[in-house]
């Protein structure tokens, strides 16, 4: 059965080209020298991204391979202005990141509802010959052509927005914990890789307070090299304020395995994005209902001391209240608030390795995007040098509608 959760799409986008100005001379009865009256061409439509909190996936864009804005109309006689091309708004969920599909370079980021980013600007309309009249050039016989359109093939990636991200091996109890703490009902079974897509749940706390928890598919040792489901789903916890590492404590040599599993998970995250190690971390030892109090006390002395450790059981409810207290305390700690403030609006997105990305997409059966033929004279291709101007709003105009 095909999943409704789509976290990446590839689309060919084109803005509209500007309409050409009119070269027309007025000829009416009793006015043999009416002069120029050619109108200006209309502006081409823009391609605009818009954040919409009503979407939580990119499913509505999965089969929309081409998005084109309207061209501007040509100018006419009697100083008639050409019609402006209609701009196209692409509604995307908050947390969507856009990359150039040809180079893998980061383009822009949609982080809140109502945010608008002009991805591709439409061409300006050309001036009609009426605009070029002067005292010494009273009958100009030329007009401007419209500016060409812009084209870019983009990749949109969705990175879920949550407060707490669950990190663990398959069958570590992540989905069980999410279902125990929230009303989310992810698939739960006793075999590896039960979770094939991320899930979100709202965890209720005291006094009507709450926080959002994200569950992602399990990762295994060597995931950075493509083993298991790889590290593709880790991008969904890149924005989380807190990482909750979940390691089961029901193995024969729990002392060794808990420490080793935590170090393996930490190493895989380091390989994916070293900046994620700066986030606050909490270690939860799951399936603790199978451990007695004496063994739990012994294990506490051998576990890492640089982060809070909580022993829990999602089935029996053991330690869940303590876990929520620890998570709330860490989420609202001064150091975590300071980190959120300093990182807001300055999130650094790494450029994408397109060769590796295309291999992953091909392995998952992604369709190739057909490029429709257009006259090269009518196109301005947006290159990487122009993308560098996004911070100065030279090439991508950000409209703040908060």
């Amino acid at each position: 059965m095909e999943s409704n959760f789509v976290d990446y799409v590839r689309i060919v986008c084109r803005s509209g080209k500007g309409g050409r100005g009119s070269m027309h001379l007025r000829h009416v009865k009793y006015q043999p020298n009416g002069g120029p009256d050619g109108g200006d061409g209309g502006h081409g439509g823009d391609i605009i991204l818009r954040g919409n909190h009503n979407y939580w996936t990119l499913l509505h864009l999965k089969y929309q391979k081409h998005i084109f804005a309207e061209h501007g109309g040509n100018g006419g006689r009697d100083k008639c202005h050409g019609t402006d091309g209609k701009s196209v708004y692409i509604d995307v969920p908050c947390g969507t990141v856009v990359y150039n599909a040809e180079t893998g370079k980061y383009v822009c980021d949609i982080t809140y509802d109502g945010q608008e980013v002009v991805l591709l600007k439409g061409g300006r309309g050309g001036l009609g010959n009426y605009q070029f009249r002067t005292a010494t050039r009273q009958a100009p016989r030329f007009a401007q052509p419209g500016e060409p359109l812009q084209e870019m093939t983009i990749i949109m990636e969705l990175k879920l927005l949550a407060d707490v991200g669950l990190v663990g091996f398959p069958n570590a109890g992540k989905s069980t914990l999410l279902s125990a703490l929230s009303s989310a009902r992810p698939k739960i079974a006793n075999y590896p890789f039960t979770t094939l897509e991320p899930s979100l749940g709202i965890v209720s706390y005291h006094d009507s307070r709450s926080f959002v928890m994200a569950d992602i598919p399990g990762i295994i040792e060597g995931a950075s090299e493509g083993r298991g489901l790889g590290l593709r789903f880790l991008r969904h916890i890149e924005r989380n304020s807190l990482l909750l590492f979940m390691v089961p404590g029901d193995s024969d040599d729990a002392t060794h395995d808990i420490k080793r599993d935590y170090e393996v998970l930490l190493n895989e995250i380091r390989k994916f994005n070293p900046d994620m190690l700066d986030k606050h971390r909490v270690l939860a030892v799951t399936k603790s209902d199978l451990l007695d109090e004496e063994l739990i006390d012994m294990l506490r002395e051998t576990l890492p001391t640089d982060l809070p450790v909580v022993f829990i059981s999602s089935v029996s409810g053991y330690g869940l209240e303590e876990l929520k207290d620890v998570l709330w305390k860490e989420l609202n700690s001064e150091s975590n608030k300071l980190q959120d403030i300093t990182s807001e609006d300055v999130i650094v997105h790494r450029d994408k390795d397109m060769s590796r990305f295309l291999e992953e997409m091909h392995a998952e059966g992604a369709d190739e995007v057909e490029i429709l033929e257009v006259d090269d004279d009518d196109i301005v291709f947006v290159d990487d040098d122009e993308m560098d101007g996004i911070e100065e709003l030279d090439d991508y105009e950000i409209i703040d509608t908060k």
Side-chain angles (χ1 to χ4, degrees):
M1 181 177 178
E2 189 174 6
S3 171
N4 287 333
F5 184 84
V6 178
D7 57 359
Y8 70 88
V9 292
R10 177 171 173 162
I11 302 176
V12 177
C13 295
R14 282 185 192 147
S15 62
K17 63 181 179 180
R20 66 176 181 271
S22 173
M23 200 294 296
H24 187 267
L25 298 176
R26 181 177 176 83
H27 294 289
V28 295
K29 194 174 183 180
Y30 305 122
Q31 292 186 11
N33 299 319
D37 68 345
D40 302 338
H43 293 272
D46 302 328
I47 300 292
I48 304 174
L49 300 178
R50 179 170 57 191
N52 189 332
H53 68 277
N54 293 316
Y55 289 103
W56 66 282
T57 175
L58 297 171
L59 177 64
H60 61 292
L61 299 173
K62 181 177 181 180
Y63 301 106
Q64 198 166 354
K65 302 299 184 183
H66 306 89
I67 297 181
F68 301 154
E70 289 184 355
H71 299 312
N74 298 327
R77 64 174 65 187
D78 296 330
K79 295 176 283 189
C80 289
H81 195 286
T83 56
D84 291 336
K86 185 178 180 181
S87 297
V88 176
Y89 287 83
I90 306 175
D91 286 325
V92 296
C94 300
T96 300
V97 184
V98 181
Y99 299 91
N100 187 320
E102 304 297 331
T103 63
K105 190 174 180 63
Y106 164 76
V107 176
C108 63
D109 187 11
I110 304 296
T111 57
Y112 57 85
D113 182 55
Q115 179 185 1
E116 295 183 358
V117 176
V118 179
L119 182 66
L120 297 175
K121 290 184 179 180
R124 293 179 298 180
L127 299 178
N129 65 340
Y130 178 77
Q131 303 289 352
F132 298 101
R133 72 194 188 285
T134 65
T136 58
R137 188 173 56 198
Q138 299 182 4
R141 286 174 169 79
F142 59 88
Q144 279 185 337
E147 286 185 344
L149 58 86
Q150 293 182 347
E151 177 182 279
M152 181 167 58
T153 303
I154 62 173
I155 289 176
M156 294 187 189
E157 275 192 355
L158 175 61
K159 297 182 179 181
L160 296 180
L161 303 177
D163 300 307
V164 179
L166 304 183
V167 182
F169 288 98
N171 282 111
K174 301 185 296 299
S175 298
T176 306
L177 176 64
L178 184 65
S179 64
L181 295 180
S182 70
S183 298
R185 292 295 176 263
K187 183 179 179 180
I188 301 173
N190 61 349
Y191 55 85
F193 299 112
T194 306
T195 302
L196 297 177
E197 60 188 40
S199 301
L200 289 178
I202 300 178
V203 181
S204 299
Y205 194 61
H206 306 304
D207 301 328
S208 300
R209 292 174 293 185
S210 63
F211 55 90
V212 181
M213 181 176 288
D215 172 29
I216 66 170
I219 60 176
I220 62 176
E221 187 173 7
S224 57
E225 302 172 357
R227 295 186 60 191
L229 295 179
L231 294 176
R232 189 167 66 88
F233 291 104
L234 275 179
R235 67 170 177 267
H236 291 295
I237 59 174
E238 278 189 301
R239 300 178 185 272
N240 300 164
S241 301
L242 176 67
L243 300 181
L244 177 58
F245 289 83
M246 301 184 62
V247 179
D250 60 344
S251 60
D252 296 334
D253 187 3
T255 303
H256 173 73
D257 287 347
I258 293 177
K259 293 177 61 177
R260 177 187 176 277
D261 289 351
Y262 171 69
E263 292 172 356
V264 169
L265 293 172
L266 208 59
N267 185 52
E268 293 299 330
I269 287 182
R270 182 183 295 109
K271 292 179 180 179
F272 175 74
N273 187 354
D275 294 335
M276 292 178 65
L277 298 181
D278 296 333
K279 298 180 181 292
H280 282 221
R281 304 191 295 269
V282 174
L283 175 60
V285 181
T286 63
K287 306 179 183 179
S288 296
D289 54 334
L290 304 177
L291 308 176
D292 54 33
E293 292 297 331
E294 182 179 354
L295 181 56
I296 290 178
D297 293 337
M298 183 184 69
L299 289 175
R300 287 186 186 275
E301 300 177 356
T302 61
L303 295 179
T305 59
D306 59 341
L307 77 167
V309 180
V310 184
F311 287 80
I312 64 171
S313 172
S314 302
V315 176
S316 65
Y318 173 78
L320 294 186
E321 289 300 321
E322 179 186 359
L323 176 63
K324 289 199 290 186
D325 291 338
V326 171
L327 293 177
W328 186 262
K329 179 181 178 181
E330 290 293 322
L331 286 173
N332 292 275
S333 63
E334 290 300 325
S335 58
N336 197 31
K337 290 181 179 179
L338 179 62
Q339 181 179 347
D340 291 341
I341 293 173
T342 55
S343 62
E344 186 176 2
D345 296 331
V346 292
I347 299 176
V348 178
H349 295 276
R350 299 169 299 156
D351 294 341
K352 186 173 294 296
D353 183 356
M354 291 307 301
S355 59
R356 182 170 180 176
F357 177 81
L358 292 176
E359 289 178 2
E360 292 181 1
M361 298 302 98
H362 180 71
E364 296 182 12
D367 298 331
E368 292 292 333
V369 179
E370 179 185 0
I371 308 297
L372 302 184
E373 294 296 332
V374 174
D375 189 352
D376 290 341
D377 295 336
D378 294 333
I379 303 178
V380 170
F381 292 94
V382 181
D383 57 23
D384 291 344
D385 293 336
E386 293 177 343
M387 287 185 190
D388 294 335
I390 185 170
E391 296 180 357
E392 292 77 21
L393 309 185
D394 291 338
D395 297 286
Y396 299 90
E397 178 186 356
I398 298 180
I399 307 172
D400 194 340
T401 58
K402 262 188 172 180

